[in-house]
Amino acid sequence: MYTVFSTFHVPAEKADEVIGIYKNRSRIVDNAPGFLDFLLLQNDKKAGEITVQLFFDTKESYMNWVRGEDFMRIHDLEKKYPDQDLAAIIPSVSQHKVVAT
């Protein structure tokens, strides 16, 4: 299994707005080959720190998703979000293979 964390920081007063966006996400990734799960995490002590966690069966499946047309389309839509301060945020991404469960 392979997991990816994308962590970004938004102003605390915009955290609920961002969470709402993700609660209503397109779910296109859900249909990607090898996709297993999506989690949205909010730091318990820093409300503006949000992390998207994706699970794929293999690194290869994740890399195929990232290189695919749907990934590009979703991220292009994010750049057009009306709140340009939020649209300009670049996450910190870390990738991990799962070695034990």
Side-chain angles (χ1 to χ4, degrees):
M1 190 174 354
Y2 198 70
T3 187
V4 179
F5 296 88
S6 297
T7 300
F8 51 93
H9 296 84
V10 300
E13 66 273 8
K14 293 194 178 207
D16 286 340
E17 178 181 352
V18 172
I19 290 167
I21 291 167
Y22 279 97
K23 283 183 175 179
N24 295 306
R25 66 189 179 87
S26 67
R27 301 189 180 276
I28 292 172
V29 68
D30 296 18
N31 297 314
F35 173 81
L36 299 174
D37 204 0
F38 167 96
L39 295 175
L40 185 66
L41 311 171
Q42 182 179 32
N43 186 304
D44 201 30
K45 296 183 184 197
K46 300 175 190 171
E49 183 178 298
I50 308 290
T51 299
V52 172
Q53 184 178 13
L54 299 176
F55 293 89
F56 280 82
D57 60 352
T58 64
K59 180 178 181 177
E60 292 73 27
S61 293
Y62 171 71
M63 295 308 295
N64 288 336
W65 159 250
V66 170
R67 293 181 185 125
E69 218 172 272
D70 286 336
F71 178 90
M72 301 294 184
R73 188 165 35 111
I74 288 170
H75 288 82
D76 283 344
L77 286 173
E78 288 175 357
K79 293 174 190 169
K80 296 174 184 167
Y81 187 69
D83 185 330
Q84 285 300 293
D85 290 334
L86 292 179
I89 293 171
I90 298 173
S92 169
V93 177
S94 61
Q95 303 172 8
H96 308 265
K97 66 180 176 180
V98 176
V99 295
T101 59

